[in-house]
Amino acid sequence: MERPSYEAQPKAVALNSPIAGTPLGLSFVDVAKESGLNVKTIYGGEHKNKYLLETTGCGVAFFDYDQDDWLDIFLVNGWRLEGFPKGQEPVCHLFKNNRDGTFTDVTAKSGLTRTGWGQGCCVGDYNNDGWNDLFVSYYGQNALYRNNGNGTFTEVTKEAGLLQPKLRWNSGCAFLDYDKDGHLDLFVGNYIDFDVKTAPLPEDAGCAYKGITVACGPPGLLGGKNLLYRNNGDGTFTDVSQKTGMWDTIGTYALSVAVGDIDNDGWPDIYVANDSTAATYYQNQKDGTFKDVAIEAGIAYSPDGKPQAGMGVALGDFNRDGLLDIVKTNFAGDTDSLYMNLGDGTFEDHT
């Protein structure tokens, strides 16, 4: 039986439709609750935030963890300064897609029950066994979960060599094969070199935004150093951050990251949205190192040369010219950024 073609068949919008005349001719409806996505995400105090750590929120990943060709959802969870009674600690959540518009929480049986101040997450098959693995960044110690292929995960952070010798505020992350050896490496952004014991309180330091007392930072606080782990091909990683050029950048306060062949030379590059400073464009030098060329490429600052408070970032070919463009969201009070790739190593701001 011949399948009907749905190409180039635009749907008409009735004139009495509530979405008629909207820019895209469509609308979105929040169906989280009826879909079973009814868990609470924790990140800091409910009524007052003393520190910036309590304001960033948590990440999410859509990925097919069980290979049934339906996207499942993983939600990162956070923490509170005062902690939680034993047995009531919040955990991240994995929701299995039921293929009928609903999801089932399978966190407990999947093994993804670790607690902590979660930040972001990323997905990739780091051990080349054909199953998507999961990495979760934390304020504190990150976690790498190996997909066992049977609906469960095993935390292999220590075995993989990903234990950190110092307290870090890890943020956005991404898997990429930067040296093209067939094994996925791991980039982890770092936001602030932050310690609750020494961080200034807003009322003591006079921190304010538009006349309102707010948590201090990031300006005035020491920026974190981004990390790059090389996959050794045997299930372990080696920290190559400094020697690959991760620390030789103008911008700091990394929040989100996107990876892709930005300059169209066949090698993966890294773009980082930094809060309150210049964005970072790690151009792959094809010799195991990176160079920050964000300023030269025209994607470090706003069109008038000012640093922006970058929050999120994504790559995509919005104008279908075969080149990856960049969209970066910025903090309230500023416009977001759309950089069009000109194909010669530079970009033009098309915001």
Side-chain angles (χ1 to χ4, degrees):
M1 181 177 179
E2 185 178 356
R3 295 180 63 184
S5 173
Y6 294 101
E7 295 183 6
Q9 298 291 327
K11 292 182 178 180
V13 178
L15 292 180
N16 60 350
S17 167
I19 60 173
T22 59
L24 298 178
L26 52 86
S27 66
F28 290 89
V29 178
D30 186 354
V31 295
K33 188 174 181 179
E34 48 266 51
S35 297
L37 302 174
N38 54 1
V39 294
K40 191 172 185 177
T41 299
I42 306 294
Y43 53 96
E46 288 190 274
H47 306 294
K48 182 179 180 181
N49 296 324
K50 294 181 181 178
Y51 304 106
L52 208 61
L53 179 62
E54 302 178 85
T55 68
T56 54
C58 302
V60 60
F62 287 75
F63 75 114
D64 181 15
Y65 82 94
D66 53 1
Q67 293 194 14
D68 65 353
D69 294 329
W70 290 75
L71 285 179
D72 310 295
I73 302 176
F74 177 77
L75 292 168
V76 179
N77 217 337
W79 199 254
R80 289 203 177 109
L81 293 173
E82 61 271 23
F84 293 85
K86 187 172 180 57
Q88 298 181 28
E89 302 92 343
V91 298
C92 299
H93 291 274
L94 177 65
F95 286 93
K96 176 177 170 55
N97 195 323
N98 298 325
R99 304 182 238 183
D100 60 0
T102 68
F103 293 81
T104 299
D105 191 336
V106 295
T107 307
K109 67 179 181 181
S110 71
L112 299 171
T113 56
R114 174 180 157 179
T115 63
W117 210 310
Q119 296 293 294
C121 59
C122 49
V123 173
D125 182 11
Y126 83 94
N127 57 354
N128 286 352
D129 66 352
W131 293 85
N132 280 323
D133 307 298
L134 177 67
F135 181 84
V136 185
S137 65
Y138 284 86
Y139 170 64
Q141 177 58 54
N142 298 321
L144 175 65
Y145 295 100
R146 184 186 65 223
N147 192 328
N148 299 320
N150 60 2
T152 69
F153 291 79
T154 299
E155 185 180 346
V156 293
T157 311
K158 182 178 180 180
E159 297 88 331
L162 294 175
L163 292 181
Q164 296 177 330
K166 60 170 286 187
L167 178 68
R168 289 184 178 278
W169 186 344
N170 304 281
S171 53
C173 61
F175 284 99
L176 75 158
D177 184 10
Y178 81 91
D179 51 3
K180 297 176 69 171
D181 66 352
H183 301 283
L184 286 179
D185 312 297
L186 176 64
F187 175 88
V188 185
N190 266 242
Y191 190 35
I192 293 170
D193 192 358
F194 180 86
D195 190 336
V196 174
K197 298 176 183 177
T198 58
L201 288 169
E203 52 268 26
D204 296 338
C207 299
Y209 176 73
K210 294 186 176 180
I212 301 174
T213 300
V214 296
C216 297
L221 302 178
L222 186 64
K225 293 184 179 298
N226 298 329
L227 303 172
L228 182 64
Y229 296 101
R230 183 181 183 275
N231 192 325
N232 299 321
D234 59 1
T236 68
F237 292 82
T238 298
D239 187 341
V240 294
S241 308
Q242 189 167 9
K243 72 178 185 179
T244 54
M246 294 296 105
W247 297 353
D248 302 326
T249 65
I250 295 176
T252 183
Y253 306 138
L255 280 178
S256 298
V257 56
V259 299
D261 185 8
I262 297 175
D263 56 3
N264 213 32
D265 66 352
W267 291 74
D269 309 294
I270 304 170
Y271 185 81
V272 184
N274 295 321
D275 190 357
S276 304
T277 63
T280 299
Y281 169 25
Y282 291 108
Q283 185 184 56
N284 197 321
Q285 301 299 296
K286 313 175 196 176
D287 60 1
T289 67
F290 290 83
K291 183 180 180 182
D292 180 12
V293 296
I295 292 179
E296 297 91 323
I299 49 180
Y301 301 110
S302 67
D304 52 356
K306 294 180 180 179
Q308 295 175 290
M311 300 283 119
V313 60
L315 303 179
D317 182 12
F318 86 93
N319 57 348
R320 297 189 178 187
D321 64 355
L323 302 169
L324 287 178
D325 310 296
I326 301 170
V327 61
K328 178 167 68 76
T329 59
N330 299 307
F331 189 62
D334 197 354
T335 58
D336 298 326
S337 304
L338 174 62
Y339 298 109
M340 188 180 77
N341 195 328
L342 299 179
D344 60 358
T346 66
F347 290 74
E348 189 170 85
D349 191 302
H350 271 239
T351 304

